[in-house]
Amino acid sequence: MHTSSLFPAAILTLLMGAFYFFTAVRVGVLRGRHNVKAPATSGHPLFERAYRVQLNTLEQLGIILPFLWVAALYPIDAQWLAPLIGIVWLIGRVLYLRLYMADPEKRLLGAGIGGLTNLAMLVVALCGVLKAWFAGRA
Amino acid sequence: MHTSSLFPAAILTLLMGAFYFFTAVRVGVLRGRHNVKAPATSGHPLFERAYRVQLNTLEQLGIILPFLWVAALYPIDAQWLAPLIGIVWLIGRVLYLRLYMADPEKRLLGAGIGGLTNLAMLVVALCGVLKAWFAGRA
Amino acid sequence: MHTSSLFPAAILTLLMGAFYFFTAVRVGVLRGRHNVKAPATSGHPLFERAYRVQLNTLEQLGIILPFLWVAALYPIDAQWLAPLIGIVWLIGRVLYLRLYMADPEKRLLGAGIGGLTNLAMLVVALCGVLKAWFAGRA
């Protein structure tokens, strides 16, 4: 196992988790500000947008994080590629947040970056797994 | 640590993640096709079903993936059991998707396989952890 | 890599996952009891509360689990701190469940413990990563 490739994955995990934590705190703040009583998850447009941003970020984390760690455990030669994809994913998430809060219809650039980086991370992780398999390190 | 038991977990993680990614893309497609404007998550029966399938798959991933990796880090003697349970989980998810889209009331077989495989993976992971504990490898 | 610090993280992961599994099963039971037909996620106050508790627990798992494992991979000297924070998180979740079911407005203590433990786990994981970096183990 290449433990050196785990380190960038660990850093990215903290960044992604911190960003997601921020989206969750925002939802709590907007719930209070716009007086949306639990367990409701609708009632004010800004709250609803923030809630969808949070939940969508969780939905995306459920894809990118497992792929990132498989790629870290079974790295390809270009070890920098998986962390780079993770950084682009994170930038896409910040864009998604800002675009969605301004106007949900304008979120597509942020959503597209999310989809493409998920797919790219899957390909990188798959290549790493195949490489380990053919190298007999499985 | 038995790194050989990590490999099947890595492959399964990619398969599970790819399936979940597929359910998420489907939601995006159906959102467009049936013109359900964000941030709404209701408005057309097929969209609502697809969205529940995606979210339920994420809910299930949050159980099975951590258990799978604990089982991989602390394998029991029958190392093939955890990956096998993971494959059955995945088959259950495909069933769940197909049954739920046809008629939400018919989803129970898929949901049942999910619940049972989650429970089985928990037991396997717990046995592995206990085995490591008694072997002094904790 | 300090594999000994992985063991408490594995145990905690099983406990957290088992608790979350329990919240999910509860939702299924209440869906049946109060006859809330899928794909609806509203229709009866107790079902709605139980569903929010489950989803909120998943939302929180998406923060605490990645941080816990980064902290386990890159432990600080006080290795007991991350598992302790995890246990407090779990106690907070049980409180959240009980308070929320009784009255959603009373959930704040449980929610607060969740937020604070997430933040504490992030700080501990970050310290571990920085320590590994300065020790040249990155």
Side-chain angles (χ1 to χ4, degrees):
Chain A
M1 226 167 62
H2 299 238
T3 56
S4 72
S5 59
L6 297 183
F7 196 75
I11 308 240
L12 262 169
T13 299
L14 296 188
L15 289 173
M16 291 170 168
F19 174 75
Y20 171 62
F21 183 56
F22 167 71
T23 68
V25 170
R26 270 181 98 243
V27 170
V29 170
L30 289 171
R31 186 183 277 282
R33 187 181 300 163
H34 299 298
N35 201 25
V36 180
K37 295 256 182 254
T41 53
S42 58
H44 188 284
L46 286 185
F47 170 81
E48 287 167 25
R49 291 175 195 181
Y51 179 64
R52 276 304 307 156
V53 168
Q54 182 206 338
L55 206 52
N56 191 272
T57 300
L58 180 66
E59 293 167 13
Q60 297 286 312
L61 269 182
I63 304 176
I64 201 84
L65 263 188
F67 289 170
L68 172 67
W69 281 91
V70 170
L73 284 169
Y74 301 97
I76 57 173
D77 288 333
Q79 284 201 20
W80 48 268
L81 193 52
L84 180 67
I85 293 169
I87 291 168
V88 176
W89 181 89
L90 202 52
I91 294 170
R93 283 288 99 192
V94 176
L95 266 175
Y96 185 85
L97 169 76
R98 294 183 62 94
L99 294 170
Y100 202 116
M101 291 308 292
D103 177 0
E105 293 307 307
K106 297 232 172 79
R107 75 193 185 281
L108 295 185
L109 176 64
I113 293 175
L116 289 179
T117 47
N118 283 337
L119 207 57
M121 193 69 94
L122 173 59
V123 172
V124 168
L126 189 62
C127 288
V129 162
L130 290 177
K131 186 191 160 197
W133 175 265
F134 287 116
R137 287 188 291 101
Chain B
M1 225 168 62
H2 301 238
T3 56
S4 72
S5 58
L6 297 183
F7 196 75
I11 308 242
L12 262 169
T13 299
L14 296 188
L15 288 173
M16 290 169 169
F19 174 75
Y20 170 61
F21 183 56
F22 168 71
T23 68
V25 169
R26 271 182 97 245
V27 170
V29 169
L30 288 171
R31 187 183 275 283
R33 186 180 299 163
H34 299 298
N35 201 25
V36 181
K37 295 256 183 254
T41 53
S42 58
H44 189 285
L46 286 185
F47 171 81
E48 286 167 26
R49 290 176 195 180
Y51 178 65
R52 275 307 305 157
V53 168
Q54 182 206 338
L55 206 53
N56 190 272
T57 299
L58 180 66
E59 292 166 12
Q60 297 287 310
L61 269 181
I63 304 176
I64 201 85
L65 262 188
F67 289 170
L68 172 67
W69 281 91
V70 170
L73 284 169
Y74 300 98
I76 57 173
D77 289 332
Q79 284 200 21
W80 48 269
L81 193 51
L84 180 67
I85 293 168
I87 290 168
V88 176
W89 182 90
L90 202 53
I91 295 170
R93 283 287 101 192
V94 176
L95 266 175
Y96 185 84
L97 169 76
R98 294 183 63 93
L99 294 170
Y100 202 116
M101 291 309 293
D103 177 359
E105 292 308 306
K106 297 232 172 79
R107 74 192 184 283
L108 295 184
L109 176 64
I113 292 174
L116 289 179
T117 47
N118 284 336
L119 208 58
M121 194 69 93
L122 173 60
V123 171
V124 168
L126 188 63
C127 288
V129 162
L130 290 176
K131 185 191 161 199
W133 175 265
F134 286 117
R137 288 186 291 104
Chain C
M1 226 168 61
H2 301 238
T3 56
S4 72
S5 59
L6 298 183
F7 196 76
I11 308 243
L12 262 169
T13 299
L14 296 188
L15 288 173
M16 290 169 170
F19 174 74
Y20 171 61
F21 183 57
F22 167 71
T23 67
V25 169
R26 271 181 97 243
V27 170
V29 170
L30 288 171
R31 187 183 275 282
R33 187 181 299 164
H34 299 298
N35 201 26
V36 181
K37 296 257 183 250
T41 54
S42 58
H44 188 284
L46 286 184
F47 170 81
E48 287 166 28
R49 290 176 196 181
Y51 179 64
R52 276 305 306 154
V53 169
Q54 182 206 338
L55 207 52
N56 191 272
T57 299
L58 180 66
E59 292 166 14
Q60 297 286 310
L61 269 181
I63 304 176
I64 201 84
L65 263 188
F67 289 169
L68 172 67
W69 281 91
V70 170
L73 284 170
Y74 300 98
I76 57 172
D77 288 334
Q79 284 201 20
W80 48 268
L81 193 52
L84 180 67
I85 293 168
I87 290 168
V88 176
W89 181 90
L90 202 53
I91 294 170
R93 282 288 101 191
V94 176
L95 266 175
Y96 185 84
L97 169 77
R98 294 183 63 93
L99 294 170
Y100 204 116
M101 291 309 292
D103 176 0
E105 292 308 306
K106 296 232 172 80
R107 74 194 185 282
L108 294 184
L109 176 63
I113 293 175
L116 289 179
T117 47
N118 284 336
L119 208 57
M121 193 70 93
L122 173 59
V123 171
V124 168
L126 189 63
C127 289
V129 162
L130 290 176
K131 185 192 161 198
W133 175 265
F134 286 116
R137 286 187 291 101

